[in-house]
Amino acid sequence: MPKASGLGQTTLTVDDSAGSPQDLRNDITNWQMSTPRAVQDVTGVDKSANERLLLLADCSVTLNGVFNAAAGKSHDVFKTVPSTSVARTTTQTVNGVTLAAELLYTDYQLSRSDSGELTWSAPGSLADGAVPTWA
């Protein structure tokens, strides 16, 4: 696959609280995703450099966007974050490769700037113990 920008190449869906995937690409202005691995330091006193073991895999995402109260759009999807405890399948496809993960969204933050912009942010963390894998 050739190198590519993030322009026009991304799809992003998040399940609403009923488990129906909703296409939020038009509401999302930027996002950050991380798939870190934990490490354990096992360096003995006989070493001159760190020695580590890979441990559990994780996944987190922060979605940022513009407020949209239309049915099936961002506010409709995230308004139930404070009142429900459901994992939501979040699927991102970037330049033809896809990562899907079951995430728990832990906050739905609305922000109104002094210039009048109404935006939101929603952070999510891995919910089900399945290793996030790009397909």
Side-chain angles (χ1 to χ4, degrees):
M1 173 178 295
K3 294 179 182 178
S5 72
L7 302 175
Q9 310 281 335
T10 300
T11 62
L12 206 149
T13 62
V14 179
D15 284 3
D16 59 21
S17 61
S20 299
Q22 303 298 328
D23 181 355
L24 301 183
R25 285 179 293 176
N26 188 255
D27 294 350
I28 295 172
T29 58
N30 61 82
W31 54 269
Q32 175 275 326
M33 181 191 56
S34 179
T35 54
R37 293 284 304 264
V39 293
Q40 178 183 356
D41 188 335
V42 295
T43 308
V45 295
D46 62 333
K47 298 290 190 282
S48 296
N50 287 320
E51 184 178 14
R52 296 183 179 95
L53 297 175
L54 280 175
L55 301 174
L56 297 174
D58 201 356
C59 181
S60 64
V61 66
T62 300
L63 307 176
N64 301 292
V66 177
F67 186 84
N68 185 347
K73 295 303 179 185
S74 57
H75 181 68
D76 201 30
V77 169
F78 294 118
K79 69 182 180 185
T80 57
V81 165
S83 60
T84 60
S85 299
V86 296
R88 299 163 190 254
T89 303
T90 301
T91 305
Q92 299 175 6
T93 301
V94 180
N95 299 316
V97 291
T98 300
L99 180 76
E102 291 294 316
L103 301 178
L104 293 172
Y105 283 87
T106 57
D107 199 1
Y108 173 48
Q109 307 160 10
L110 292 178
S111 178
R112 194 261 188 201
S113 72
D114 57 359
S115 63
E117 298 155 331
L118 184 58
T119 59
W120 56 267
S121 181
S125 298
L126 190 64
D128 64 354
V131 175
T133 305
W134 286 95

